[in-house]
């Protein structure tokens, strides 16, 4: 794992977008794993700008999102399908038929999870999985005690997550769906590369536990320590509780793979 700390949220998101763009240029038929949440809005805005500027082609790319609320249809503006269409898909030249999300209205949720896993396999697996971390320590919607080998399935959301996401539902906790479909921790770890973006002081404690704490199902984000190719990008506020800071900064300043991203 490598941890790259940037001065602010904007710079952190820009670096994440530049990394995604570099992978897409190297492999135009990239299979991207995508995440939602406020943290990612800036990343998608940067990618859209790069596309509009003529430098980024999504025409052969495919995408798989991490999760979706159960009970919300694609037309519901609070659904993650709607979020993705709004923030990214409508702004770049990706073929909508190549963008995949779990269907939160599927009548048989287990069958939907099996379908999604099969679809990822058929696509050849995910090349680059973008991840945020929730205040409950989750990646996707893998709430505490999610098995580190779990696959795509339905999960009940914790009170912490319901509270964190209530803003998208007019601040009304009662309106937040109580369950979601999510890739499992094992599904996420199967991706060939992980890119984790974490910003803001509210995430400082959970980021330190994910990156430097013991690997535990209580913090599903700590499973990223098991992945052989994982990059974490944080802003100063989120990095406030990390103990290995000096070494992380040294890596960014000195390792050749980061040379193109230092300015
Ligand atoms: C949400 C999503 C996660 C996301 C996380 C952080 O609940 N299921 O995929 O990464 O929580 O959200 P935010 O960026 O809004 O803090």
């Amino acid at each position: 794992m490598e941890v790259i700390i940037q001065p602010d949220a904007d710079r952190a998101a820009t670096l994440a977008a530049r990394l995604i763009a570099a992978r897409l240029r190297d492999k135009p038929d990239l299979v991207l794993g995508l995440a939602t949440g406020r943290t990612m809005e800036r990343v998608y805005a940067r990618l859209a700008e790069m596309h509009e500027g003529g430098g980024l082609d999504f025409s052969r790319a495919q995408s798989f999102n991490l999760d979706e609320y159960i009970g919300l249809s694609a037309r519901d503006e609070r659904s993650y399908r709607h979020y993705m269409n709004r923030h990214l898909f409508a702004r770049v030249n990706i073929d909508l038929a190549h963008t995949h999300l779990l269907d939160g209205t599927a009548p048989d949720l287990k069958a939907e999870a099996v379908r999604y896993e099969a679809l990822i396999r058929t696509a050849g697996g995910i090349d680059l999985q973008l991840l945020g971390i929730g205040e409950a320590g989750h990646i996707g919607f893998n709430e505490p005690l999610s098995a580190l080998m779990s696959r795509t399935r339905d999960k009940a959301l914790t009170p912490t997550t319901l509270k964190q996401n209530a803003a998208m539902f007019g601040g009304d906790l009662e309106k937040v769906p109580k369950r979601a479909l999510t890739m499992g921790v094992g599904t996420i770890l199967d991706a060939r590369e992980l890119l984790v973006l974490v910003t803001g002081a509210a995430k400082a404690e959970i980021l330190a536990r994910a990156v430097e704490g013991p690997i535990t199902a209580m913090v599903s984000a700590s499973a990223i320590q098991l992945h052989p190719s994982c990059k974490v990008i944080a802003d100063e506020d989120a990095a406030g509780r990390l103990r290995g800071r000096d070494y992380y900064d040294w890596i960014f300043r000195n390792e050749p793979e980061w040379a193109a991203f230092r300015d």
Side-chain angles (χ1 to χ4, degrees):
M1 185 196 302
E2 289 169 309
V3 180
I4 308 302
I5 298 154
Q6 294 287 289
D8 54 49
D10 214 44
R11 295 279 293 274
T14 301
L15 178 58
R18 287 176 66 192
L19 252 156
I20 295 168
R23 297 294 183 271
L24 187 56
R25 288 189 188 109
D26 282 353
K27 187 173 187 278
D29 59 347
L30 195 73
V31 181
L32 262 171
L34 297 175
T36 48
R38 279 152 291 192
T39 314
M40 300 305 160
E41 292 178 13
R42 283 188 170 98
V43 178
Y44 297 142
R46 291 298 91 75
L47 289 172
E49 285 159 17
M50 288 181 206
H51 168 71
E52 285 153 14
L56 203 56
D57 176 19
F58 286 82
S59 62
R60 293 175 58 201
Q62 288 193 68
S63 72
F64 288 90
N65 263 79
L66 284 167
D67 45 18
E68 180 61 281
Y69 289 112
I70 291 173
L72 297 193
S73 80
R75 279 183 306 281
D76 191 314
E77 60 185 26
R78 299 157 309 176
S79 71
Y80 285 162
R81 162 54 83 179
H82 204 280
Y83 170 107
M84 288 309 305
N85 287 350
R86 210 162 58 237
H87 289 287
L88 186 67
F89 301 153
R91 300 189 58 191
V92 299
N93 64 334
I94 197 163
D95 181 346
L96 268 190
H98 293 164
T99 65
H100 307 287
L101 275 93
L102 285 148
D103 178 1
T105 63
D108 182 342
L109 297 173
K110 289 201 177 9
E112 174 60 8
V114 169
R115 179 192 74 85
Y116 205 63
E117 290 272 344
L119 211 56
I120 294 172
R121 271 197 307 278
T122 307
I126 291 169
D127 290 309
L128 176 64
Q129 176 67 56
L130 183 60
L131 294 169
I133 300 183
E135 283 167 33
H138 64 210
I139 44 177
F141 270 134
N142 289 286
E143 300 292 47
L145 296 187
S146 286
L148 300 181
M149 292 175 75
S150 52
R151 309 303 302 184
T152 302
R153 71 221 183 285
D154 54 313
K155 276 300 282 185
L157 303 179
T158 60
T160 308
T161 299
L162 297 176
K163 221 164 93 194
Q164 199 203 327
N165 290 355
M168 274 76 79
F169 295 84
D172 186 348
L173 217 61
E174 286 310 307
K175 292 207 172 107
V176 188
K178 305 291 176 288
R179 303 180 67 79
L181 279 164
T182 180
M183 282 188 203
V185 181
T187 318
I188 293 168
L189 292 178
D190 281 350
R192 284 183 268 281
E193 185 177 11
L194 302 183
L195 177 59
V196 188
L197 177 64
V198 186
T199 59
K203 303 276 179 73
E205 173 68 29
I206 203 67
L207 179 65
R209 289 177 69 192
V211 168
E212 297 175 338
I215 297 172
T216 166
M218 280 302 287
V219 179
S220 69
S222 66
I224 63 174
Q225 296 175 40
L226 295 165
H227 198 282
S229 181
C230 174
K231 294 172 175 55
V232 177
I233 301 176
D235 68 353
E236 283 289 347
D237 288 342
R241 303 292 290 271
L242 294 173
R243 281 169 299 169
R245 172 73 192 261
D246 292 350
Y247 175 61
Y248 311 151
D249 286 347
W250 189 92
I251 296 284
F252 187 58
R253 280 198 308 272
N254 293 285
E255 286 294 285
E257 66 163 318
W258 290 107
F261 298 97
R262 277 186 211 121
D263 50 23

